[in-house]
Amino acid sequence: MKLRIASYNIHKGVMGLKGLKRQSLTIHALRDQLHSLGADLVFLQEVQGRHDRHAGRFEHWPEDSQHDFLSKTPSAVDDLLGHSSQRYFSAYGMNAVYPHGHHGNALLSKHPIEWSRNEDVSDHRLEQRGLLHCRVNTPAGPVHTMVAHFGLFKRSRIRQASQLVQHVHAHVPPDAPLIIAGDFNDWQRIIGPELEAGIGVREVLPQGNGLLGRVFRHGSFPCRFPVFGLDRVFCRGFEASSAQVLSGPAWAGLSDHAPFVVDLTLGAGH
């Protein structure tokens, strides 16, 4: 079985300076671009479940939560008629809650999501972080997926990596195929060895293009000049045939991160 996966921090579907008229709504263009990838699984971070202020500020703010909106087939006509068809199953894990709304992680899947659970891995009150765990029923059997968003501080990320390892040991069979992807904020590349040693995953590294690609082959942030490898993919039971951080005019300005796309093949014995 082959799976194309994508990991993307979508910056809540809005770009620009907070609270000013220079803010732009990007969620519609994001949906168009995401669906053009043909991914089987999409691991999303900073997904807006609700935002009453943006709903009042932007004329075309979606009526659906963003994970539901992104799961539907892009069509301007369908949007106007309210008939957009469902292309993906979706699950959402609420991490940050505030008076006017909430945001968190989400998974979009072309295969049915049997169940999902969201684990709070926040390390302090200033950063609400989570781990969204879903079991996806694929034609080759169940695959465990985890959408991660870790903190900005090194000590927080180390503790969150430890929580992830403990969660996998408690809730994922040791021989089950597993994909973990998201925004790990780990530009120092510290937590990868802990995950590899603790739960037997392997990191998938992006393939570089040209001189800059070879020098900054792990970059996904900032989008316009991606030199920091914040967005990462780890898997168990799969082999990667291609891995690429996407850039260029089509993605510029949609988010502060660039999307990371990986093609995986389920290994023998799974």
Side-chain angles (χ1 to χ4, degrees), residues 1-255:
M1 181 185 67
K2 295 183 178 181
L3 290 176
R4 167 164 286 191
I5 73 164
S7 181
Y8 196 17
N9 182 324
I10 66 169
H11 202 266
K12 307 182 187 75
V14 174
M15 287 293 287
L17 298 176
K18 184 177 181 180
L20 300 180
K21 293 182 178 180
R22 292 177 60 185
Q23 278 192 318
S24 60
L25 185 63
T26 62
I27 192 66
H28 295 271
L30 270 166
R31 184 173 67 166
D32 292 342
Q33 288 300 112
L34 281 178
H35 282 251
S36 73
L37 298 176
D40 300 286
L41 297 168
V42 186
F43 297 68
L44 299 173
Q45 306 86 52
E46 293 196 19
V47 178
Q48 197 76 65
R50 193 187 102 231
H51 198 299
D52 296 338
R53 294 177 183 175
H54 284 337
R57 180 182 303 148
F58 293 108
E59 181 181 358
H60 299 293
W61 184 259
E63 292 185 4
D64 293 333
S65 57
Q66 288 186 347
H67 64 285
D68 285 332
F69 176 79
L70 292 171
S71 71
K72 296 176 182 178
T73 304
S75 168
V77 174
D78 285 345
D79 282 348
L80 289 173
L81 298 176
H83 295 159
S84 295
S85 60
Q86 199 79 19
R87 183 174 183 180
Y88 287 104
F89 300 95
S90 66
Y92 172 68
M94 183 170 55
N95 298 334
V97 183
Y98 25 86
H100 54 276
H102 51 83
H103 70 265
N105 298 327
L107 179 76
L108 307 182
S109 173
K110 287 188 177 179
H111 305 294
I113 298 172
E114 182 181 357
W115 52 255
S116 67
R117 59 180 296 164
N118 195 52
E119 180 164 335
D120 185 356
V121 296
S122 303
D123 194 54
H124 50 83
R125 290 184 298 174
L126 297 179
E127 290 184 301
Q128 291 78 45
R129 305 294 186 180
L131 178 68
L132 176 63
H133 179 189
C134 302
R135 178 166 141 149
V136 178
N137 287 330
T138 75
V143 173
H144 288 262
T145 66
M146 296 187 183
V147 191
H149 193 187
F150 282 5
L152 297 174
F153 300 103
K154 178 180 175 181
R155 291 182 180 178
S156 295
R157 294 193 297 274
I158 292 174
R159 284 190 283 265
Q160 288 159 351
S162 179
Q163 276 189 260
L164 191 157
V165 169
Q166 293 173 21
H167 180 93
V168 170
H169 282 305
H171 301 289
V172 181
D175 59 345
L178 172 64
I179 305 171
I180 304 169
D183 178 3
F184 288 87
N185 275 311
D186 183 29
W187 56 87
Q188 297 160 306
R189 307 192 68 79
I190 292 172
I191 64 173
E194 179 176 349
L195 298 184
E196 292 173 1
I199 52 178
V201 294
R202 294 170 54 188
E203 182 172 6
V204 180
L205 299 177
Q207 300 160 345
N209 296 313
L211 176 61
L212 283 178
R214 289 192 294 272
V215 175
F216 301 117
R217 64 188 301 235
H218 308 305
S220 59
F221 179 89
C223 183
R224 294 185 182 276
F225 190 63
V227 297
F228 298 107
L230 306 188
D231 302 273
R232 316 275 281 281
V233 172
F234 300 88
C235 62
R236 185 176 73 192
F238 291 89
E239 295 293 333
S241 58
S242 67
Q244 186 178 10
V245 174
L246 303 182
S247 59
W251 296 100
L254 298 184
S255 172

